[in-house]
Amino acid sequence: MGTLEAEVQSYLQQHNVEQLLKDIVVKICLKKPDDVLEFIKEYASAKQREDKARLSEDDAPSQFEHQAARRASRRGAVSASVMSADDALSYEKKIVPKDAATMLALQKSVSGNVLFSHLEADELTAVLDAMFLSVKKPGDVIIQQGDDGDNFYIIDSGTVEVWIAREGDSEPEKFSEISEGGSFGELALIYGTPRAATVKAKTDCKLWAIDRDTYRRILMGSTIRKRKRYEGFLEQVPLLKDLDKWERLAVADALEPCDFKSGDVIVKQSEEGNEFFIIVEGKVSVTQTNDSGETGEVAQLEAAQYFGEIALLTHEARKATVTALEPTKCVKLDRGRFERVLGPCEAILRRDMSNYKKYGESK
């Protein structure tokens, strides 16, 4: 590990960043807020106020140390173990046979789940391929409240009951039922938190499950391979040359690949724009229709060049049409990711906007 990597790892450990991010994701999964960024901001502010208030007490140091030790001890027993890059890359793909109808049903079940909705097609396929069958009879306990979580389940057929024992109550109460197409246990995939409820089979149940280790190996391995694939390429993109390594890695993690055939219209003038594109290989033509209704080409773009940023920066409609001149591979960022990872480049993007030639000007 290089000096810079070692310094970053030391910083992350010193400031407990991994644990903080885990806590935030757990809260998001539990609350399912509509505005995720606003939720994170409020959570961070509340945590900051809580920490300041705790440290301001007269006995704050000893009390804080006691609470931290207690939290560390508790989390040490249940948190997910650290996985190395070698562990992730050594993952051997698991394929549990399923028919097409089952795969479609599984895709539908996880489509709205925050832990799956961000996956690229190959990542989602790998996760669904690895899901194994679990058959339960009425009365069988599938997960037990308080136990360490390890599996996430999707119900293929049947109904389960969710029971919760409130603190101080002697008997658990029935909270809800989940039937075909439903799912439960997702927090186990990202954080080894104790189960928050007991889930029992009400009827004969056919479930598909995946364990935390497999899920994390698939995602981490995919991220590492993606970084290696794009890191060298991004160094050749003039827009990104002033970013440091970690900023470029953030861009690499956020990129989504997309392929176009010759003649495909990638963006169209006057339409709403919500995506930014960088060309990996191939060539595109940029055309524009002026106020007189005349249409002409204003530029051709090739590998390492980009387009689509104006609509994202100005919130206006597309200023030009971009068409693939040959089979073209691109990577793209949606509006949210564009604003998040290309913030350091905004000044350059706005500066370069003034350099674009309009059709009919200085032909």
Side-chain angles (χ1 to χ4, degrees), residues 308-316 335 338 346 349-350 353:
E309 77 283 6
I310 295 178
L312 273 66
L313 289 169
T314 65
H315 298 273
E316 297 176 357
R335 183 180 295 277
F338 174 85
E346 183 172 347
L349 288 166
R350 289 189 179 278
M353 281 169 51

Side-chain angles (χ1 to χ4, degrees), residues 29-216:
C29 292
L30 290 172
K31 300 293 185 181
K32 298 180 174 63
D34 292 329
D35 190 334
V36 175
L37 291 178
E38 183 65 24
F39 178 85
I40 293 173
K41 185 174 75 172
E42 291 178 357
Y43 174 84
S45 297
K47 183 166 179 57
Q48 202 170 38
R49 290 193 300 270
E50 176 188 320
D51 289 347
K52 286 181 179 178
R54 184 186 302 121
L55 289 172
S56 67
E57 297 175 3
D58 292 338
D59 61 342
S62 59
Q63 181 182 1
F64 179 75
E65 289 166 5
H66 170 70
Q67 290 176 339
R70 186 174 62 188
R71 286 198 302 271
S73 174
R74 182 172 70 249
R75 286 172 177 159
V78 299
S79 63
S81 58
V82 176
M83 182 179 295
S84 70
D86 289 340
D87 289 336
L89 291 174
S90 65
Y91 169 74
E92 294 184 9
K93 188 174 181 180
K94 301 176 183 178
I95 299 181
V96 178
K98 304 173 186 70
D99 59 30
T102 298
M103 287 293 285
L104 286 173
L106 292 176
Q107 288 178 11
K108 183 177 179 181
S109 294
V110 302
S111 61
N113 191 300
V114 67
L115 298 184
F116 296 85
S117 58
H118 71 287
L119 299 182
E120 293 183 9
D122 58 339
E123 294 171 334
L124 180 59
T125 298
V127 169
L128 299 184
D129 277 342
M131 284 190 148
F132 57 89
L133 185 63
S134 178
V135 177
K136 301 295 181 181
K137 298 178 186 273
D140 284 353
V141 174
I142 304 167
I143 63 176
Q144 179 69 50
Q145 183 173 349
D147 286 355
D148 292 351
D150 53 1
N151 292 336
F152 165 75
Y153 297 90
I154 295 175
I155 304 172
D156 188 300
S157 62
T159 300
V160 302
E161 298 175 332
V162 180
W163 294 77
I164 298 178
R166 306 292 182 184
E167 191 171 346
D169 293 344
S170 57
E171 294 294 331
E173 296 180 358
K174 184 176 174 180
F175 179 73
S176 65
E177 293 185 358
I178 308 173
S179 299
E180 181 177 331
S183 60
F184 56 93
E186 58 262 50
L187 291 187
L189 297 184
I190 54 166
Y191 186 57
T193 185
R195 296 294 195 183
T198 294
V199 178
K200 300 178 182 179
K202 180 179 181 180
T203 66
D204 287 327
C205 289
K206 180 181 176 183
L207 312 170
W208 291 99
I210 188 168
D211 63 274
R212 178 174 63 245
D213 184 67
T214 298
Y215 176 87
R216 294 177 69 218

